Amino acid sequence: DPTWPSSIDELEEIMFQTKSFRSRKFADTVDPCSNEASGPGRQNAAEWLRTAFHDMSTANSFLKRGGLDGSLQYELNTGENKGPGLKTTMEFMAPFISSKSSLSDLVAMGVYTSVRACGGPAVPIRAGRKDATSRGSIGVPQPQNSVQSFRDQFTRMGFTNEEMIQVTACGHTLGGVHSEQFPEIVTPGTGVDGQISLDGTVAVFDNRVVTEYLDGTTKNPLVVGPSVQVDRHADFKVYNSDGNVTVEALTDNDTFKEVCKTVLQKMIDVVPAGVTLSDPIKPYEVKPVALQLTLVEGGRALSFTGYIRVRTTEIGADAIENVVITYKNREGESQCGTNGCTITTTVQGVSQGFDDTFAFFPIEAEISASTGVSSFVITVNYADGTSEEFDNNGNTYPLQDAVLLQMPQSCVLGSSGALTVTAAVRNDRVSEGASIDVSYKTPQTNSPVPRLMSASVALTEGDCAGEYTLFTADWAIPGGSAYEAHIDVKNGDYVDAFKTAVDVGGTCRQFENPASCGDSGGPSSSTSATVSETPSESPSAEPTTSSTAASTTTVARTTTTSSEEATPTVQHREAVGGYRLVSCWQDYENGIRALSGPMNVQDDMTLDSCMSFCDGYDYFGTEYSVECFCGNSLHDSSKEAPMDDCDMPCGGDETEYCGSGNRLELYSTTATRTTATPTATPSHVETVGDYALVGCWTELHGGRALSQASTASSDMTNQQCAEYCGQYRYFGTEYGLECYCGSHVATDTESAPLEDCDKLCGGDDYAFCGGPSRLSLYMNPDIQGGEPEQPLTVGNYTFEGCYTDSSASRALDEKRTAGSEMTNEVCAAFCEGFAYFGTEYGQECYCGNEIKEDAQEKDSDECIMVCKGNVFELCGDGNRLSVYKRKEEEILSSSDA
Ligand code: HEM
C-alpha cells in the first residue's frame, strides 16, 4: 500500500470502487462495453478510448509539449476532432475533476476503465497529469494522410512504426466509423445506426480487427469500401506500412492484449515537460475512507466516523470476523478515557471493481475531547482465528484533531453557492487562526468542461466550546456547481482536507449546549445557543442571508465574513527584489513567447526563485504556477492582459500569484536596462514558439535554401522570423537581419558548424541569427508542409511568369515531356540548354528558346496546380504554363564563382 494519505487516494477510489457500496460510478456509462448511453450507434467505451488518443496525439515529444494534458477540451472545433463522442466523454468526466483528479488523469483512467469493461487488459494508470488551460498544437492523424505523414506524426508523438501499427490496432478493436462525420468512408444509409464497426466484435477488446484484416474477411471501413477510392483507408495504410510484419505478430489474442497493455500505457503516459507521474495506482489492501472527526456534545466529545476498507479479492468478505482500530491520544499515548483506545467494527457493505472486491467496516465511535486522538493502527481479525496488523508502512495512520470541519454547522446551497463553514479549532491552536481553501469550478466559454479555481477565505473566531473554539465564514462559491467544490479547512500546518461540498449538506444546524471554555467534562454551564443559520432553500437566497441571521444569535460572533469581505490570501506582489510588477501579460500569442530568453519549470516555483533564475535580464515572468521565463524585451505580439487573468498561485508559495495559462505575471527591472551592456551570453535559441533549432545550415550559391518567402529588417529576431514564416515548416535567419521561409529545404544545402552562425540578431543582443551565407535553421514538425508555392529559382532558371498556353499553339514548342514525377526541377533538367522551360497541368513540361507571341502573361495566381511530384510546388494549371527563364550568363558565372 502507499503510505496514507496519498495524492492518489481520490483517483484510487474512482478507479476501483466501480460497483455496489460506495461506488464512485465512473464506469457506469462504459460498462457493459456495449453501453450506448449517448445514443444508438455510439459505444461510449470506444469514445473514451478515442478521446485519450485525440488528446495525446498532438504531442511533440521532441519539445516535450502537449500529450495527455486535457487540451482536447479547447480543440473540439479544429476540424480534427469530429464527432460528438469526444465532447460527451469529457462532459461525463467533468464532475469527477478535482484538485486531486485532473481531467487528463481522468481521461487516462478512462482508458483503463473502458478497455477493462470490454474485456481488455488492465492498463496501468499513473497519476499527476496537469490540465492545459488553452488549446495546443494541431496534428491528430486524419484518414486521408499518407503513410509517410502517419509515420511523421507518430514519430512526433514518440512512437516507432511498429508501435504506430500496434496502438492503432488496439484502438480500432472497439467502435466504428460514423457516416454522419465521415460520409466519404461510410455511405449514409449503410451500416447499423449510422455506423460500420471496425471489426466483427464492436464491443469486445480482441484481435479480430487484425485477424479479419489478414484473412481478408474484414469489413473495416478504414480498410475496404468507399474509403479506398478516396484514399482514406487509413487502417490499411497503417497496417500495411511494414508489409504486415507487425500485424502478423498479433494473431494470438493473448499476445495482442499484452501488446495493447504496453502501447496503451505508453499512449497515456505521453505528458509535457513539468509533469511527473506517480507509480501505477494499485488498490490499497487496507484503506481509511471518508474519515471525519466532529465536535459534539457541547464540545465534550469527538464523534469519529468513516470506514476502513479492506481488499477481499482473494478471500471474500466472509473471511473477516471484524476490524479493530487501536488509537493513540493527542499526546501519542494509550490513555483514552472511559471508552478505551479500541474501536471494533463488523462489515457493512461490499463493493467491486473490475478485478477486486472490497469490504467496508464502518466507524461510529466517540472519543473524549479532552484526550483526543493523533493516530491509529488497524487489526484485521480473520474468521479462522488469525489476525493481521496494518500500521501504514510503519508510520501508523495519522488523524489530527487540531482543526475539524463541523459538517452539522456548515451548509451549502447548490443554487446560489451560498456557503457557511464552521470549524472547530483546538483551544491551544486558536492563535493560528483558521481559513478555508475552496477549490471550485467555473464554466468556460471555450470548453465543455469547467475550469478548476481556488480561493482562500479567512474564518472568524467565535465561541469557545469546551476544548475547542468555533470559527465561521460565509462565502458564495462562484461558478454554479457548488456541490462539486472541495474544501480544505486549515489551521497552521493542520488541515482537515478535501471535504466534498455535497457532503456538507444544505442545512446548518446549531451547535447545542456548548460547554464553557476549557470545560471538557461535567454538565453544560452555558445557556443553550440558538443559532438560526439555516440559509433559505429558495433559489434566490443571497449568500449573506446566513450572516444576517448570525447577528441575531445569542452565540455572539465578533464578525461574520460575507462574500464581499472574503479575504483571498493570494496576492499580486508589487515588487520582487529589484523588479516591479508590470501587469498580467499575454504569452504564446500565435505560438510566440513574449520573453525569448531562458526558461525553467519547477513544481515549487516562487516569484523569488524565478527572479534569481532570470538574474541579469530586464524582465522575468511566471506562468501557469510552475513556469519561469526571462528576457530583455517583450515580443510585439504580446500585450497587457487584465490583472484578473493571472489567477494561479505559485506552485511553491500559495500566497502569491504566478500567472496562469498563457498569462505571465510580468516583472521588469528597476535598474538601468541591461540592453546597452549585455551581461548574458548570446545563445543559439533552442526553441522559438513551435519551432525547434535544426542547426546552422549553408545557404545555396545562387538560389536559396528556403525559397518560398523572405523578409529582412534591422531589428530582426528569431521570434519575428518565426511569426513571419508561421505557415511554413521551416524558417531561417541569416546575417543578423534576414529571414527566409520554406516548406522544405533545398536538397543541396548542408549542415555547418554551429559556430558559423555567429551574427547577433539585429533586434536581440542575446541570440544568434545565422551568419554570412549561413542560416540559423528552425523547423516546426507539426507543419506537414506549407502552402504550395511557385519556387522563385529552380537550378539555373528564375521564374518568369504565368502564361496562357493551348494545344493549338504552344508557348514553348521545342521539346516536351510529361509524367507523374513532374516537378519544376525535373522539367528544368529535362530542358537543360534551352532559354526557357515551363510546367503545366501539374505534370507536363515544355522547353523552348522563346515564348511564342500568342502566349499572354497572366497573374501568377492562375498557375496554381500542385506538381504531381512535389505537393509543395506549383506546376502551371489547365492551359496555364509556369514559365522559367535561364539566368543571364554573367549572373550564372558570378554566382558559380
Ligand atoms: C493513423 C491513426 C488513426 C487514424 C487515421 C484514425 C482514424 C479514425 C477514424 C476516421 C475513426 C472514425 C471515427 C468516427 O466515425 O466516430 C476512428 C475511430 C476510432 N478510433 Fe481511430 N484512428 C487512428 C488511430 C487510433 C488510435 C491510436 C486509437 C486509440 C488507441 C484510436 C481509437 C479509435 C476508436 C476507439 C474509434 C471508434 C470510435 C467510436 O466508435 O466512436 N484510433 N479512428
Side-chain angles (χ1 to χ4, degrees):
D1 284 0
T3 297
W4 181 89
S6 146
S7 57
I8 54 97
D9 286 346
E10 170 72 357
L11 286 166
E12 191 255 16
E13 282 190 28
I14 297 173
M15 183 167 178
F16 296 112
Q17 289 172 215
T18 54
K19 282 197 202 100
S20 313
F21 192 70
R22 289 187 68 83
S23 162
R24 298 298 300 268
K25 302 184 186 299
F26 188 65
D28 278 14
T29 63
V30 295
D31 189 15
C33 180
S34 55
N35 196 334
E36 296 184 342
S38 300
R42 293 178 53 191
Q43 286 82 30
N44 287 32
E47 293 178 342
W48 284 27
L49 187 54
R50 182 168 175 250
T51 299
F53 176 59
H54 278 232
D55 191 21
M56 183 286 290
S57 61
T58 54
N60 188 322
S61 62
F62 307 115
L63 302 178
K64 291 290 261 167
R65 290 237 181 93
L68 206 67
D69 62 359
S71 61
L72 182 64
Q73 63 178 299
Y74 304 108
E75 294 162 356
L76 294 172
N77 298 325
T78 57
E80 300 187 330
N81 296 308
K82 287 188 192 156
L86 305 168
K87 179 164 177 264
T88 48
T89 298
M90 291 188 283
E91 280 169 346
F92 174 84
M93 292 178 181
F96 292 87
I97 295 173
S98 74
S99 56
K100 296 189 185 300
S101 44
S102 60
L103 175 67
S104 37
D105 274 346
L106 291 165
V107 169
M109 186 167 291
V111 170
Y112 163 84
T113 306
S114 56
V115 168
R116 204 62 204 89
C118 300
V123 179
I125 301 299
R126 299 168 186 271
R129 292 169 194 78
K130 291 178 191 158
D131 290 341
T133 51
S134 57
R135 47 173 294 190
S137 308
I138 55 169
V140 180
Q142 300 296 308
Q144 66 271 27
N145 293 1
S146 66
V147 184
Q148 191 50 45
S149 49
F150 285 144
R151 283 198 190 105
D152 289 346
Q153 289 179 313
F154 277 87
T155 305
R156 163 173 57 68
M157 298 171 221
F159 286 70
T160 62
N161 195 72
E162 182 185 27
E163 289 167 333
M164 165 179 87
I165 298 165
Q166 292 170 335
V167 76
T168 304
C170 295
H172 288 179
T173 179
L174 297 180
V177 183
H178 298 83
S179 58
E180 195 179 333
Q181 282 72 44
F182 296 95
E184 67 284 15
I185 297 176
V186 173
T187 311
T190 62
V192 181
D193 294 329
Q195 179 193 348
I196 296 182
S197 61
L198 292 157
D199 70 10
T201 47
V202 65
V204 182
F205 195 97
D206 60 8
N207 69 342
R208 292 263 308 251
V209 63
V210 168
T211 53
E212 292 169 359
Y213 163 79
L214 287 172
D215 67 20
T217 58
T218 189
K219 299 197 170 65
N220 180 347
L222 296 176
V223 175
V224 294
S227 68
V228 180
Q229 281 300 312
V230 292
D231 196 26
R232 279 165 161 76
H233 51 331
D235 275 7
F236 175 81
K237 291 187 253 185
V238 169
Y239 301 157
N240 191 46
S241 64
D242 66 355
N244 293 341
V245 172
T246 301
V247 278
E248 299 272 12
L250 297 174
T251 48
D252 173 62
N253 201 21
D254 291 337
T255 310
F256 176 78
K257 289 185 186 179
E258 211 39 52
V259 165
C260 290
K261 182 171 157 180
T262 306
V263 284
L264 290 176
Q265 177 175 12
K266 174 161 182 163
M267 174 175 98
I268 58 178
D269 286 353
V270 175
V271 290
V275 172
T276 313
L277 295 178
S278 71
D279 287 339
I281 303 175
K282 296 207 178 87
Y284 280 85
E285 291 300 320
V286 166
K287 185 185 191 189
V289 173
L291 297 193
Q292 185 67 54
L293 290 173
T294 307
L295 189 67
V296 293
E297 293 182 13
R300 292 171 201 87
L302 300 170
S303 142
F304 180 20
T305 55
Y307 301 89
I308 302 300
R309 194 194 77 188
V310 182
R311 196 174 78 94
T312 51
T313 313
E314 285 86 18
I315 54 172
D318 292 348
I320 300 174
E321 182 75 35
N322 60 34
V323 166
V324 176
I325 295 167
T326 309
Y327 66 94
K328 292 270 167 58
N329 71 16
R330 194 170 291 141
E331 261 65 57
E333 291 156 358
S334 299
Q335 275 104 46
C336 310
T338 47
N339 292 345
C341 292
T342 58
I343 300 162
T344 303
T345 164
T346 53
V347 69
Q348 182 182 0
V350 293
S351 87
Q352 293 98 38
F354 291 109
D355 299 291
D356 288 288
T357 60
F358 306 94
F360 284 81
F361 295 83
I363 306 168
E364 271 164 39
E366 247 180 37
I367 294 176
S368 159
S370 56
T371 49
V373 56
S374 55
S375 69
F376 59 91
V377 293
I378 298 165
T379 310
V380 177
N381 292 314
Y382 298 101
D384 66 3
T386 60
S387 62
E388 200 173 353
E389 188 179 284
F390 294 87
D391 64 359
N392 203 22
N393 304 321
N395 300 294
T396 72
Y397 297 91
L399 185 60
Q400 62 84 23
D401 66 0
V403 58
L404 321 173
L405 170 61
Q406 289 293 108
M407 294 272 193
Q409 284 78 46
S410 302
C411 47
V412 62
L413 284 185
S415 49
S416 64
L419 169 74
T420 297
V421 167
T422 302
V425 176
R426 219 169 56 207
N427 287 342
D428 62 308
R429 304 273 319 161
V430 164
S431 62
E432 294 276 343
S435 63
I436 49 169
D437 285 355
V438 185
S439 111
Y440 60 93
K441 298 175 187 176
T442 51
Q444 310 188 84
T445 48
N446 53 349
S447 160
V449 168
R451 179 153 172 199
L452 209 55
M453 312 289 282
S454 66
S456 292
V457 181
L459 270 56
T460 309
E461 188 178 336
D463 286 321
C464 196
E467 299 276 335
Y468 284 80
T469 298
L470 300 178
F471 281 71
T472 60
D474 295 314
W475 194 58
I477 302 177
S481 46
Y483 285 144
E484 291 178 21
H486 285 87
I487 303 165
D488 285 353
V489 188
K490 295 165 97 171
N491 161 256
D493 291 340
Y494 290 98
V495 194
D496 196 8
F498 204 61
K499 305 296 168 182
T500 319
V502 71
D503 291 342
V504 166
T507 311
C508 280
R509 289 203 299 275
Q510 62 188 68
F511 190 81
E512 286 176 345
N513 304 319
S516 61
C517 201
D519 171 12
S520 53
S524 164
S525 56
S526 71
T527 50
S528 77
T530 55
V531 184
S532 55
E533 269 194 89
T534 313
S536 156
E537 295 288 348
S538 98
S540 62
E542 287 299 309
T544 46
T545 308
S546 51
S547 61
T548 323
S551 64
T552 66
T553 63
T554 55
V555 179
R557 287 185 181 150
T558 45
T559 49
T560 307
T561 318
S562 76
S563 62
E564 291 79 17
E565 293 155 359
T567 43
T569 49
V570 199
Q571 280 171 359
H572 297 286
R573 267 173 71 186
E574 280 303 322
V576 183
Y579 292 79
R580 71 181 156 67
L581 180 65
V582 178
S583 177
C584 186
W585 203 266
Q586 294 177 344
D587 191 21
Y588 212 54
E589 287 292 302
N590 307 315
I592 298 172
R593 289 279 171 213
L595 294 173
S596 59
M599 77 157 295
N600 83 336
V601 181
Q602 66 190 60
D603 284 349
D604 59 350
M605 184 61 66
T606 62
L607 292 172
D608 288 288
S609 60
C610 182
M611 178 190 69
S612 315
F613 176 76
C614 294
D615 189 29
Y617 284 89
D618 288 343
Y619 293 97
F620 79 86
T622 52
E623 185 169 327
Y624 201 58
S625 286
V626 292
E627 300 170 358
C628 170
F629 296 87
C630 324
N632 284 316
S633 60
L634 289 164
H635 192 268
D636 306 343
S637 66
S638 66
K639 295 196 177 48
E640 188 171 346
M643 208 62 229
D644 288 352
D645 281 13
C646 284
D647 59 358
M648 294 178 72
C650 302
D653 184 349
E654 293 188 341
T655 66
E656 55 189 31
Y657 283 111
C658 276
S660 179
N662 291 346
R663 289 289 180 275
L664 284 168
E665 189 92 12
L666 181 69
Y667 288 82
S668 155
T669 182
T670 51
T672 323
R673 300 267 157 199
T674 52
T675 325
T677 50
T679 51
T681 29
S683 64
H684 299 277
V685 181
E686 285 287 330
T687 60
V688 180
D690 284 337
Y691 289 86
L693 181 65
V694 178
C696 187
W697 284 63
T698 63
E699 189 52 286
L700 292 185
H701 302 291
R704 286 280 166 207
L706 299 175
S707 58
Q708 285 165 314
S710 66
T711 180
S713 87
S714 57
D715 63 351
M716 182 55 60
T717 60
N718 287 306
Q719 288 74 13
Q720 206 182 94
C721 186
E723 190 173 15
Y724 176 80
C725 297
Q727 305 274 47
Y728 295 89
R729 188 171 167 86
Y730 294 94
F731 81 84
T733 47
E734 187 169 332
Y735 207 68
L737 313 172
E738 300 162 14
C739 165
Y740 298 92
C741 325
S743 49
H744 57 276
V745 187
T747 46
D748 34 1
T749 8
E750 291 167 354
S751 170
L754 208 52
E755 304 84 70
D756 281 14
C757 284
D758 59 356
K759 278 273 179 201
L760 293 180
C761 305
D764 186 347
D765 284 342
Y766 303 100
F768 293 111
C769 283
S773 261
R774 290 289 181 278
L775 283 171
S776 288
L777 182 68
Y778 289 83
M779 182 181 94
N780 179 349
D782 284 335
I783 298 179
Q784 295 296 316
E787 294 288 298
E789 299 237 354
Q790 195 74 62
L792 296 182
T793 65
V794 176
N796 290 336
Y797 293 81
T798 49
F799 184 59
E800 180 75 6
C802 178
Y803 283 78
T804 57
D805 193 31
S806 70
S807 51
S809 110
R810 288 282 164 207
L812 301 173
D813 67 353
E814 279 157 76
K815 205 174 152 192
R816 70 169 71 176
T817 182
S820 62
E821 297 298 304
M822 188 54 60
T823 64
N824 291 298
E825 289 74 11
V826 168
C827 186
F830 176 78
C831 296
E832 201 188 333
F834 288 93
Y836 295 93
F837 78 86
T839 49
E840 186 169 330
Y841 203 58
Q843 52 189 322
E844 299 166 9
C845 168
Y846 299 89
C847 322
N849 282 315
E850 56 172 352
I851 304 175
K852 288 279 152 48
E853 274 176 14
D854 286 359
Q856 295 160 20
E857 188 168 359
K858 293 282 182 184
D859 276 353
S860 38
D861 64 9
E862 293 192 15
C863 283
I864 51 160
M865 191 171 279
V866 171
C867 305
K868 283 272 193 252
N870 181 348
V871 292
F872 303 127
E873 263 185 36
L874 300 175
C875 285
D877 205 335
N879 294 338
R880 290 289 179 279
L881 195 60
S882 293
V883 176
Y884 286 78
K885 182 180 181 194
R886 195 171 53 184
K887 291 174 189 167
E888 302 298 328
E889 290 305 320
E890 69 270 25
I891 300 178
L892 279 179
S893 52
S894 72
S895 62
D896 279 348

